[in-house]
């Protein structure tokens, strides 16, 4: 036991958890912890807005699979960070957010820069703590990291009053967590595994639907092994994009509102779905009624509450996805002698070829299709890709093939504009050895572009691949499609000039107006040691197609005319 | 379907808020709620009753079970559960006959009469929600000036 202040104990605890970087912004209520940060060897990465701090921690967490840490002060600092916390919760990203709070005796008095961040954050955190005694900090941090990274990962908020940071108390640093009401390590029931194997083998038209859970548990090899053993097609949710290599012959890519036509078509014809680590989001499945046909669903998830929440399962397998898939593969290996190419697989392949040949794409050279194929051609397969939120994100879903599993990240649950660029910075901090590209749209990038200051000053050379239609493109598309072209609030004209903007921050900036220029710009950016913005103007009228309108079934997708 | 849920939680500030907020945010509804510390001062037991279909009830149980401060959650079998609610009614009385009649009704329902005055009487009733509703319907014509109910508290009956 040793006497130290709460803030000192916090830094000590963070080091014990292996934290080497934090993303944040100082303010009045977190100055004691910043003063201790000054003395520590933890790298502080200064943001220009707390929302970006939480998105950076989110990107760091998704890539490293260790909780990303962000700091904010009380009141507006804490409320600013909340969007990033909610985003991490929606996409099950491990994060520990640490906010300053007014002193204990001022809590509830409407003090300057006081906000009830614990109350506000309740629905969008996995758990939260507000230690009122400095001696509690070591255990709170130990528990917080354990909760954030285990089971279905998520954000944990630790809100520390200023006097608790300042006051000195005897500290004991625990080796173990003590969270008695939390047991994330559920082992799949062998009977359910057996039932699932039998159901898959008796199905005529089976399919695998892989969700984000596959990426979180890094179950790529297990997924491939089962798909190949059964010789069945794999579709993904958007969150699960890249959980299965998209150049694999059995891959049909993402389903859903902005899924591949062939993936949506085949999904509506399947008679048995092995759904892995997915919550059957409305964006993925259209209407839930679609799944009420004669269809067996095997639902595998680490979270028991996901079973039956949106979709009733014929067989439920609760447990870590990687572990469950390993068990399933063992059972299948005994039962499967040799699978022949089935009529179903032949039909799947014909359907894919049909849509590849017949789907009309935007004719211009600078269409999203060509631009994203060019990006794919030039980028090394192991590059990490984030996206902003909007049309470009959905074009990425459609046209950018993820080759190395687990290298694609997007705000799919909350759909947070402004996520991609700071998340890319966090990703690059976690993996400085690989290229990191943010596929951006102008509307979304504009929300957190001030993170360019962070990228430049902190030497974090990410690439912003900015598909610029000078508008809030997705909203514009909906206004064109569903509101009879009554266009309002979507035109961003030519302001700002992203090349000049990036240069003003000291970043490298290139405007690319042809595919050749894009290729040159990308090669330039990949060899650059400074953050680079590649501004790519496109036709503002280009739509994302195919498209499943909200509230409609996958089979009612709108196709390019 | 009316369900009784018995939930053992950490006795910490803010737990009631977290539980009730889960119901609100997940679009479930609480019919009644009662909370009290258990024989272990670190733990509280909440009894929540809810009207929901079977699928929703299962989902409520799972969502509660998922919460880190929840140690146990159980859907109690109504037939094998002892459950009671406390209700207090302040009832208008117009004359002595009315007073006598209410006294008789209270006795029938196992209630107690308090604070008898010339214009009102207070009846305390510990019973099932169904019995309390029934009593309320019967005394309503007299004029209920005020009433308060606690929500259900429940424990499973012994099986042996």
């Amino acid at each position: 036991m040793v006497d130290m202040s709460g803030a000192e104990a916090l830094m000590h605890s963070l080091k014990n958890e292996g934290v080497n970087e934090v993303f944040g912004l100082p303010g009045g209520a977190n100055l004691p912890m910043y003063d201790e940060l000054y003395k520590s060897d933890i790298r502080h990465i200064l943001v220009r807005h707390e929302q970006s701090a939480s998105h950076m921690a989110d990107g760091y967490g998704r890539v490293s699979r260790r909780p990303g840490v962000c700091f904010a002060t009380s009141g507006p600092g804490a409320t600013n960070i909340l969007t990033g916390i909610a985003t991490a919760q929606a996409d099950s990203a491990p994060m520990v957010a640490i906010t300053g709070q007014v002193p204990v005796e001022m809590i509830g008095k409407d003090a300057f820069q006081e906000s009830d961040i614990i109350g506000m954050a309740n629905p969008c955190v996995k758990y939260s703590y507000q230690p009122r005694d400095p001696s509690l900090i070591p255990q709170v941090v130990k528990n917080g990291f354990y909760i954030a990274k285990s089971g279905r990962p998520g954000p944990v908020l630790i809100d520390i009053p200023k006097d608790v940071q300042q006051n000195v108390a005897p500290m004991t640093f625990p080796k173990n967590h003590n969270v008695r009401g939390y047991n994330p390590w559920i082992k799949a029931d062998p009977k359910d595994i057996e039932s699932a194997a039998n159901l898959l083998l008796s199905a005529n038209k089976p399919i695998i639907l892989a969700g984000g859970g596959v990426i979180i548990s890094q179950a790529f090899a297990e997924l491939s092994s089962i798909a190949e053993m059964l010789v069945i097609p794999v579709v993904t949710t958007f969150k699960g994009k890249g959980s299965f290599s998209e150049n694999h012959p059995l891959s049909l890519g993402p389903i859903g509102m902005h899924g591949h036509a062939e993936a949506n078509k085949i999904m509506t014809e399947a008679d048995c779905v092995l759904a892995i680590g997915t919550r059957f989001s409305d964006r993925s499945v259209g209407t839930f009624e679609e799944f009420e046909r004669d269809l067996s669903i095997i639902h595998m998830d680490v979270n028991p509450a996901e079973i039956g929440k949106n979709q009733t399962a014929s067989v439920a397998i609760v447990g870590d996805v990687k572990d469950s898939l390993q068990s399933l593969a063992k059972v299948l290996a005994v039962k499967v002698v040799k699978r022949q190419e089935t009529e179903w697989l032949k039909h799947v392949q014909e359907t894919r070829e049909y849509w590849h040949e017949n789907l009309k794409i935007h004719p211009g050279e600078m269409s999203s299709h060509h631009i994203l194929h060019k990006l794919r051609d030039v980028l090394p397969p192991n590059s990490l890709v984030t996206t902003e939120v909007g049309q470009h994100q959905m074009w990425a879903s459609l046209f950018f093939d993820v080759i190395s599993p687990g290298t694609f990240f997007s705000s799919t649950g909350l759909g947070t504009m402004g996520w991609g660029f700071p998340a890319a910075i966090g990703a690059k901090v976690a993996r400085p050895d690989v290229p990191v590209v943010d596929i951006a749209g102008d509307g979304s990038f504009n929300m957190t572009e001030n993170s360019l200051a962070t990228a430049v000053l902190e030497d974090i050379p990410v690439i912003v691949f900015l598909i610029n239609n000078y508008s809030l493109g997705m909203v514009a598309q909906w206004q064109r499609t569903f509101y009879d072209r009554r266009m309002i609030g979507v035109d961003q004209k030519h302001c700002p000039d992203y090349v000049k903007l990036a240069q003003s921050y000291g970043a490298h900036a290139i405007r690319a107006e042809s595919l050749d220029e894009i290729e040159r710009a990308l090669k330039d950016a990949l060899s650059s040691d400074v953050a680079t913005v590649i501004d790519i103007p496109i036709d503002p009228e280009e739509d994302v197609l195919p498209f499943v309108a909200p509230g409609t079934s996958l089979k009612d997708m709108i196709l390019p005319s | 379907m009316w369900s009784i849920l018995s939930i053992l939680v950490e006795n910490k500030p803010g737990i009631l808020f977290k539980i009730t907020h889960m119901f609100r945010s997940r679009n479930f509804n609480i019919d009644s709620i009662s909370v009290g510390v258990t024989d272990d001062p670190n733990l509280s037991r909440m009894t929540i009753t809810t009207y929901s279909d079977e699928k929703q009830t299962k989902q409520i149980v799972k969502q509660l079970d998922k919460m880190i401060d929840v140690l146990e959650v159980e859907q109690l079998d109504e037939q094998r559960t002892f459950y009671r609610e406390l209700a207090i009614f302040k009832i208008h009385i117009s004359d002595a006959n009315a007073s006598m009649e209410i006294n008789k009704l209270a006795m029938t329902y196992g209630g107690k009469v308090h604070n008898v005055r010339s214009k009102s009487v207070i009846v305390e009733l510990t019973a099932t929600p169904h019995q309390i509703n029934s009593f309320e319907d019967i005394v309503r014509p007299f004029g209920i000036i005020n009433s308060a109910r606690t929500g259900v508290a429940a424990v499973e009956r012994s099986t042996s």
Side-chain angles (χ1 to χ4, degrees), chain A residues 196-220:
Chain A
N198 292 338
L199 207 51
L200 279 167
L201 290 172
S202 63
N204 292 316
K205 295 186 271 183
I207 194 168
I208 293 174
L209 169 61
V214 176
I215 295 172
I216 290 168
S217 71
Q218 302 276 291
F220 311 124

Side-chain angles (χ1 to χ4, degrees), chain A residues 427-436 461:
Chain A
K428 185 72 178 173
V429 171
R431 285 293 308 275
D433 55 319
V434 292
V436 178

Side-chain angles (χ1 to χ4, degrees), chain A residues 122 127 180 304-305 307-308, chain B residues 10 18 55 59 62 68-69:
Chain A
N122 180 57
Y127 200 68
R180 62 177 168 175
I307 308 295
Chain B
E10 299 276 3
K18 286 184 183 179
K55 188 182 167 193
Q59 189 54 215
K62 285 179 184 175
I68 288 168
D69 289 320

Side-chain angles (χ1 to χ4, degrees), chain B residues 115-127:
Chain B
N115 202 239
V116 180
R117 294 287 181 270
S118 58
K119 296 287 181 193
S120 70
V121 61
I122 288 175
V123 177
E124 171 199 335
L125 194 57
T126 303

Side-chain angles (χ1 to χ4, degrees), chain A residues 485-507:
Chain A
R485 291 192 73 88
R486 291 189 293 280
M487 313 302 286
I488 179 168
V490 290
D491 189 352
Q492 304 219 25
K493 298 206 168 54
H494 290 261
C495 185
D497 177 326
Y498 287 99
V499 170
K500 287 181 184 167
L501 177 90
Q503 286 169 341
S504 76
Y505 279 108

